[in-house]
């Protein structure tokens, strides 16, 4: 019932103020009808003055929330008249309702001023009719005012505490939603990067094989048949990788998705053989042991080499050749991929591969930079002075215990054989 009353008060405060004021006005008029003579030092006060003081001590209650100090001033003035005339109406106690609202809504310094105002009628009555001792006339009323003020302060503190909890809960909800959106955006970026690497590379290989097969169809049917077989094998591999990726993204049965290890440095030879089969001559050199390279860095090296060779297939031209140099050292892994195809202007950090001289616009270089930044590496990509294109990657080696949590988590996901 209390909650319903408060809800009604929030919806229609004026209606509630009118009802409360009407109740106190009725009580004041009942006392003014004759009951006030039981406690009044002077019973000869005119009725019209009693009525005026009763109304003046109760009607200002209507403005107790909007203008509490003004309402209290009117009530105090009526109290001064009531005590000076000797009526000493009980309606003057209604001003404690206004005092409660002052303690509930106004600054604490206003509460002291209100207390001083309310003691004025008490002092006036004590001086005018000193039949009782001053401590019996003033001290009990001051204690009553103090209790009402403390009650208002307690209710105000509880309301402020509740509002703080509500605001904190709202902020936590906002932060939770922001974290969810950031996580979703990061996951979308990672999925887009993986799909680009999987589909882009395989389609480039298929395109190269199809072009070579169509050229050899008239002169060497056997070579054309080999090209068709390679196209079928590459297509099935791309579909298999894409199917695994989409299975992981399904919401209905994520645990049933087929899992497969992410590519590693041991798969570089097979990658280069596939590119060679598509018609791009590739020479590769590897120096140093690769056993000490963590799985996350191995995937980054593989994807960078894959994207660089894919760009050569797509934009290098029919006479292009490529060279892949991989070096493993104790402090860093270094990869350099160069080709003799058509070059172009150096790309800016915000643009993948600029339009011009055969190099198209895409997301490959952006994906390589994102992967490199995960391990605080450096990536340089641009045209060579004499023609061609160069991609240089350097990944610093780092102990597992010193890695950032996010990087360590991604590597553990890779070691868990999850597709992206």
């Amino acid at each position: 019932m209390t909650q319903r009353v408060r809800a009604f008060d929030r919806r229609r405060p004026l209606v509630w103020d009118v009802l409360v004021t009407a109740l106190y006005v009725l009580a004041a008029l009942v006392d003014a009808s004759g009951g006030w003579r039981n406690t009044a030092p002077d019973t000869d006060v005119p009725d019209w003055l009693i009525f005026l003081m009763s109304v003046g001590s109760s009607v200002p209650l209507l403005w107790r929330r909007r203008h509490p100090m003004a309402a209290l001033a009117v009530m105090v003035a009526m109290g001064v008249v009531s005590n000076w005339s000797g009526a000493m109406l009980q309606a003057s106690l209604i001003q404690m309702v206004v005092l409660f609202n002052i303690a509930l809504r106004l600054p604490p310094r206003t509460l002291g001023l209100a207390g001083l105002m309310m003691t004025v009628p008490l002092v006036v009555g004590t001086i005018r009719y000193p039949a009782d001792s001053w401590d019996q006339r003033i001290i009990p009323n001051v204690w009553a005012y103090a209790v009402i003020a403390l009650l208002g302060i307690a209710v105000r503190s509880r309301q402020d505490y509740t509002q703080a909890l509500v605001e904190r809960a709202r902020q936590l909800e906002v932060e939770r939603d922001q974290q969810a959106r950031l996580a979703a955006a990061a996951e979308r970026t990672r999925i887009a990067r993986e799909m680009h690497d999987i589909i882009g590379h395989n389609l480039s290989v298929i395109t190269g094989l199809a072009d070579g097969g169509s050229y050899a169809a008239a002169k060497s049917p056997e070579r054309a048949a080999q090209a068709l077989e390679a196209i079928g094998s590459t297509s099935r591999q791309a579909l298999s990788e894409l199917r695994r990726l989409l299975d992981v993204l399904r919401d209905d049965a994520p645990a049933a998705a087929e899992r497969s290890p992410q590519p590693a440095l041991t798969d570089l030879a097979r990658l280069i053989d596939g590119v060679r089969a598509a018609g791009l001559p590739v020479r590769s050199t590897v120096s140093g042991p690769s056993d000490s390279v963590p799985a996350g860095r191995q995937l980054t090296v593989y994807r960078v080499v894959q994207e660089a060779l894919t760009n050569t297939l797509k934009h290098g031209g029919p006479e292009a050749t490529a060279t892949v140099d991989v070096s493993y050292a104790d402090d860093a892994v270094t990869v350099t991929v160069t080709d003799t195809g058509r070059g172009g202007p150096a790309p800016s950090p915000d643009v993948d591969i600029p339009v011009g001289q055969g190099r198209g616009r895409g997301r490959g270089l952006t994906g390589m930079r994102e992967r490199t930044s995960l391990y605080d590496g450096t990536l340089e990509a641009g045209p060579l002075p004499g023609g061609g294109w160069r991609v240089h990657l350097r990944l610093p080696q780092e102990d597992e215990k010193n890695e950032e949590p996010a990087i360590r988590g991604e590597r553990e996901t890779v070691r868990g054989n999850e597709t992206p």
Side-chain angles (χ1 to χ4, degrees), residues 160-390:
D160 293 342
Y161 179 71
T162 303
Q163 292 177 359
L165 290 179
V166 172
E167 178 64 20
R168 177 59 178 168
R170 188 191 66 82
Q171 292 178 356
L172 289 176
E173 291 180 357
V174 172
E175 292 176 1
R176 180 198 62 191
D177 295 340
Q178 290 177 347
Q179 292 295 331
R181 286 193 294 268
L182 291 175
E187 188 66 13
R188 285 196 299 268
T189 301
R190 190 165 66 93
I191 292 171
R193 187 170 60 229
E194 293 294 336
M195 293 189 69
H196 174 274
D197 292 338
I198 293 172
I199 298 177
H201 170 74
N202 287 287
L203 287 180
S204 298
V205 173
I206 291 173
T207 301
L209 291 171
D211 292 341
S214 62
Y215 177 79
K219 299 182 178 179
S220 178
E222 297 80 4
R223 296 294 299 275
Q226 294 176 0
L228 291 176
E229 291 178 359
I231 289 175
S233 176
T234 304
S235 301
R236 285 189 293 271
Q237 179 183 356
L239 287 175
S240 177
E241 293 181 6
L242 182 60
R243 186 180 297 111
R244 284 194 294 269
L245 176 62
L246 297 179
D247 285 343
V248 171
L249 299 179
R250 291 175 57 188
D251 294 333
D252 52 353
E258 183 181 358
R259 298 169 182 247
S260 177
Q262 289 278 34
L265 296 176
T266 56
D267 300 311
L268 276 179
R270 185 176 61 181
L271 171 67
I272 294 174
D273 291 340
V275 174
R276 288 170 179 162
L280 176 65
V282 181
R283 182 176 61 86
S284 63
T285 58
V286 178
S287 60
S290 61
D291 299 337
S292 61
V293 181
R297 287 176 169 78
Q298 292 190 33
L299 177 62
T300 299
V301 172
Y302 180 91
R303 292 304 189 193
V304 168
V305 173
Q306 181 186 53
E307 180 61 28
L309 294 178
T310 300
N311 285 337
T312 302
L313 275 173
K314 293 165 59 177
H315 310 296
E319 304 298 330
T321 61
T323 301
V324 178
D325 295 322
V326 183
S327 175
Y328 307 106
D330 295 336
D331 59 340
V333 179
T334 304
V335 179
T336 303
V337 181
T338 58
D339 63 58
T340 60
R342 294 188 294 267
S348 65
D350 299 330
V351 179
D352 184 7
I353 300 176
V355 177
Q357 299 187 16
R359 299 289 180 176
R361 186 185 301 272
R363 295 187 55 85
L365 191 55
T366 301
M368 287 193 288
R369 285 199 179 102
E370 291 173 352
R371 292 182 184 277
T372 304
S373 64
L374 288 176
Y375 301 99
D376 297 329
T378 58
L379 180 72
E380 300 174 0
L384 296 172
W389 196 265
R390 175 180 178 270

Side-chain angles (χ1 to χ4, degrees), residues 145-161:
Y145 299 159
V147 170
I148 294 299
L150 290 176
L151 179 61
I153 293 173
V155 174
R156 178 176 185 170
S157 300
R158 180 174 178 82
Q159 290 180 352
D160 293 342
Y161 179 71

Side-chain angles (χ1 to χ4, degrees), residues 104-167:
L104 186 64
R105 293 179 172 85
L106 296 185
R109 63 178 181 273
T110 309
L111 190 60
L113 176 61
L116 292 177
M117 292 171 59
M118 293 175 67
T119 59
V120 173
L122 301 178
V123 175
V124 171
T126 302
I127 296 175
R128 176 68 170 168
Y129 298 96
D132 299 329
S133 61
W134 67 273
D135 56 335
Q136 294 178 355
R137 185 71 64 85
I138 296 179
I139 298 301
N141 288 279
V142 171
W143 275 111
Y145 299 159
V147 170
I148 294 299
L150 290 176
L151 179 61
I153 293 173
V155 174
R156 178 176 185 170
S157 300
R158 180 174 178 82
Q159 290 180 352
D160 293 342
Y161 179 71
T162 303
Q163 292 177 359
L165 290 179
V166 172
E167 178 64 20

